[in-house]
Amino acid sequence: MSEQAPGREVHRRQKLEALRARGVDPFGTRYPVTHWAGPLAARLGGAGEDELKGFGPVCVAGRIVSMRHHGKTCFAHLQDYTGRIQLYARADQLGDDFAHFTDVDLGDFVGVTGDMLRTRTGELTIAVKSFTFLGKSLRPLPEKWHGLKDVETRYRRRYVDLIVNPASRAVFLLRSRLIKAIREFLDARGFLEVETPMMQPIPGGAAARPFVTHHNALDVDLYLRIAPELYLKRLVVAGYDRVYELNRTFRNEGMSTQHNPEFTMLEFYQAYADVGDLMELTETLLLHLAQTLLGRTRMTYQEHELDLTPPWRRLPFFAALTQALGAEVGPETPGRRLRELGAARGVELAAAAERWEAWPELFESLVEPTLVQPTFVVDFPVELSPLSKRKRDDPRLVDRFELFVAQGEIANAYTELNDPIEQRERFLQQAARREGGDDEAHWFDEDFIRALEYGMPPTAGEGIGIDRLVMLLTNQPSIREVILFPHLRPEAGLAPEDAEPDSGGAEPAPGDP
């Protein structure tokens, strides 16, 4: 926190009172915006002098983020949600209002009317004819040359981060475009977007620990969903053959650069398809997103050079473990042998770890770090996949894949188990694990079994982590960089002001006329 900040905050409040004394509303009213900074720059980026003169007056509104005085002239930059544009104000044009314009603080909102010109340095600029004060900023923004650098402060005060860090704004603009592109992709293929409950009496569809709340009117506990899967499959039973949901999902688990307790997932189901169809669809979708959003299919993610060009590698689960452990392992390899092999590779498992407990730990520790280029890991053991259909040629395995890119899981998909008799047996096995202390085992859902008994066609379903996909496409190392307001530990106490020193309402402007 700057020691000077409280004094400057007092100064800004004095300016607020001065505005009121002049009869100016410090917090403004509507303003007739005719143009936005980004589209205006795109429209006139290559315009010549004659075209600029004939373009006519424009009305823009936004936050002042830089200002520099030159005696009787002044340069500033106005920022709106589409970008920035330079302003040029002259005393002989504004008269008494020129002093009021130069008295604006960084962070204040103004509306400006003026004509277009280009400075000697070539920057597109609005020559200010009049301006309207629209909103007072009572806290100074971080200085441009220092910025908001502290990572935790950026996450806690995302509203400031987005003002002063263009790279952060770009991430969330791309995220919005990505979600729009996904909707268009699935809509064009006949998928129906739906909404399913966020509060559920039984948290199903994933192996995860739920958040719990209580509904007073019904006097029942409800759980924030850990996945929308079982409700979406109920809709397939109901006759909606292609459905998807861009959903908020909640899991009461640890936090890391890859995990946030609240996250966004795309989940979709396609009747009369299997996991092979979804591999092709996933390759097409991610290729489409990369081309649409980045204009290319090769990209850099941290230290990795990635190529999304299909087809992608298919890697069987036990083949991957066999290679990583240096010894043949399969669905029947006992837990004792897996513990020994793991210890030889530096992975210490619990003394009594069963096979199904050892598999994911060994895979995460030894295999995932090797999965850099897009890879479908296939043929998972049935014990790890209680909602998946068994493979016809080996009932110990299921038709499932997990997609890994740059050492991280992006998607999980399988051919759905639509046999209600076997699904009941699988749920009972999971219930036994819960009774044995596994609080992440699947819950028994009798109503879902009843839905399957009405009949569900052969179906394939998939979940894609939107946050991790945005991380990949924006080259961000942490999930908190792609979630607007990530969860954090509560602050010990809020300081009255912790922005960086203000530049006194002025900073170097890029160009002169």
Side-chain angles (χ1 to χ4, degrees):
M1 184 180 73
S2 167
E3 294 180 358
Q4 307 171 39
R8 286 199 317 281
E9 185 176 340
V10 170
H11 184 58
R12 285 178 175 239
R13 291 180 182 272
Q14 291 171 345
K15 286 189 175 183
L16 178 146
E17 296 306 324
L19 287 168
R20 286 181 169 144
R22 288 197 291 115
V24 175
D25 181 354
F27 301 106
T29 185
R30 70 177 301 275
Y31 188 80
V33 176
T34 62
H35 295 80
W36 300 102
L40 192 61
R43 167 69 177 79
L44 299 176
E49 184 177 349
D50 290 341
E51 184 178 356
L52 292 177
K53 286 182 178 178
F55 191 74
V58 299
C59 296
V60 298
R63 186 189 296 270
I64 297 296
V65 292
S66 77
M67 185 175 286
R68 183 177 179 181
H69 303 177
H70 294 274
K72 295 186 177 181
T73 64
C74 176
F75 284 97
H77 276 88
L78 179 145
Q79 177 174 295
D80 61 29
Y81 81 105
T82 67
R84 295 184 178 189
I85 193 161
Q86 183 167 256
L87 309 178
Y88 173 52
R90 296 179 358 204
D92 60 354
Q93 176 69 58
L94 292 178
D96 292 342
D97 278 343
F98 180 75
H100 298 149
F101 184 86
T102 59
D103 198 40
V104 168
D105 285 318
L106 299 188
D108 288 351
F109 286 87
V110 300
V112 168
T113 298
D115 294 321
M116 304 305 304
L117 59 83
R118 197 176 302 280
T119 65
R120 287 187 304 216
T121 60
E123 183 168 0
L124 191 67
T125 302
I126 299 175
V128 181
K129 285 186 172 181
S130 64
F131 85 98
T132 301
F133 197 89
L134 297 177
K136 185 67 191 151
S137 169
L138 298 181
R139 287 175 177 255
L141 297 176
E143 284 185 323
K144 174 182 177 182
W145 309 118
H146 185 76
L148 190 63
K149 302 296 185 184
D150 179 76
V151 172
E152 183 170 331
T153 301
R154 288 178 48 240
Y155 297 156
R156 290 191 187 280
R157 264 148 275 184
R158 184 70 83 186
Y159 40 86
V160 180
D161 178 38
L162 294 171
I163 295 170
V164 301
N165 291 330
S168 292
R169 291 199 303 277
V171 166
F172 293 104
L173 287 172
L174 184 139
R175 181 184 177 114
S176 178
R177 292 173 57 212
L178 177 138
I179 291 173
K180 180 174 183 286
I182 288 173
R183 282 194 166 102
E184 292 173 345
F185 180 92
L186 292 174
D187 290 347
R189 285 159 176 79
F191 285 83
L192 176 69
E193 184 173 11
V194 297
E195 294 178 323
T196 62
M198 285 193 182
M199 293 193 299
Q200 303 176 353
I202 297 174
R209 189 179 296 113
F211 291 93
V212 61
T213 186
H214 188 78
H215 191 291
N216 292 331
L218 296 176
D219 193 25
V220 296
D221 284 343
L222 294 174
Y223 302 87
L224 295 183
R225 68 178 170 204
I226 57 176
E229 176 169 345
L230 301 189
Y231 283 91
L232 290 173
K233 287 196 281 195
R234 285 174 169 94
L235 293 177
V236 177
V237 169
Y240 293 111
D241 291 338
R242 296 189 177 198
V243 294
Y244 75 93
E245 184 172 9
L246 280 156
N247 63 88
R248 304 296 290 175
T249 299
F250 309 84
R251 296 181 183 175
N252 197 354
E253 56 191 17
M255 296 170 60
S256 70
T257 58
Q258 301 294 312
H259 295 90
N260 193 67
E262 176 183 1
F263 59 97
T264 303
M265 184 162 60
L266 164 68
E267 197 152 319
F268 58 94
Y269 291 82
Q270 180 175 339
Y272 313 111
D274 64 14
V275 76
D277 296 304
L278 293 195
M279 286 188 197
E280 295 180 6
L281 184 65
T282 303
E283 288 174 334
T284 304
L285 171 60
L286 266 64
L287 195 70
H288 170 74
L289 293 174
Q291 291 172 329
T292 300
L293 303 174
L294 305 180
R296 60 187 186 277
T297 59
R298 294 176 179 268
M299 66 189 70
T300 299
Y301 182 75
Q302 302 304 295
E303 72 273 20
H304 305 301
E305 295 297 324
L306 305 175
D307 185 357
L308 299 186
T309 305
W312 299 340
R313 178 189 183 197
R314 272 72 164 162
L315 176 64
F317 182 84
F318 283 107
L321 278 184
T322 293
Q323 182 177 3
L325 292 169
E328 186 74 27
V329 297
E332 306 301 335
T333 304
R336 175 182 52 79
R337 175 62 171 158
L338 293 171
R339 295 195 298 270
E340 292 172 355
L341 292 172
R345 293 294 186 274
V347 182
E348 295 296 330
L349 300 171
E354 300 286 355
R355 290 172 300 146
W356 56 83
E357 295 170 317
W359 294 329
E361 288 197 45
L362 292 172
F363 187 89
E364 181 178 346
S365 298
L366 301 177
V367 179
E368 286 187 21
T370 70
L371 303 179
V372 175
Q373 297 304 321
T375 301
F376 291 116
V377 177
V378 299
D379 298 345
F380 281 77
V382 67
E383 291 89 343
L384 298 184
S385 313
L387 298 168
S388 308
K389 182 174 285 188
R390 294 178 190 265
K391 293 181 67 68
R392 290 180 179 271
D393 58 354
D394 189 344
R396 300 173 302 173
L397 307 177
V398 294
D399 273 329
R400 173 184 173 188
F401 74 73
E402 286 187 357
L403 171 62
F404 288 85
V405 185
Q407 303 172 318
E409 180 192 348
I410 299 294
N412 181 30
Y414 35 86
T415 305
E416 304 297 334
L417 177 58
N418 60 339
D419 177 345
I421 298 171
E422 183 175 354
Q423 185 64 79
R424 178 182 293 277
E425 293 173 356
R426 301 258 198 106
F427 275 161
L428 288 173
Q429 293 168 1
Q430 291 288 308
R433 289 192 193 178
R434 290 192 65 81
E435 291 177 2
D438 183 356
D439 58 2
E440 292 191 357
H442 287 246
W443 293 48
F444 192 103
D445 190 334
E446 184 67 53
D447 181 69
F448 178 66
I449 299 295
R450 179 168 54 193
L452 290 183
E453 290 173 343
Y454 281 96
M456 186 175 86
T459 300
E462 181 170 350
I464 298 178
I466 296 298
D467 308 300
R468 292 183 184 177
L469 189 54
V470 176
M471 287 172 61
L472 182 69
L473 295 178
T474 58
N475 193 20
Q476 296 299 324
S478 171
I479 196 170
R480 294 180 181 182
E481 294 288 355
V482 302
I483 294 177
L484 279 168
F485 301 102
H487 291 280
L488 301 165
R489 294 186 185 277
E491 290 185 85
L494 290 174
E497 173 57 62
D498 55 5
E500 292 298 326
D502 200 337
S503 56
E507 67 175 67
D512 294 327

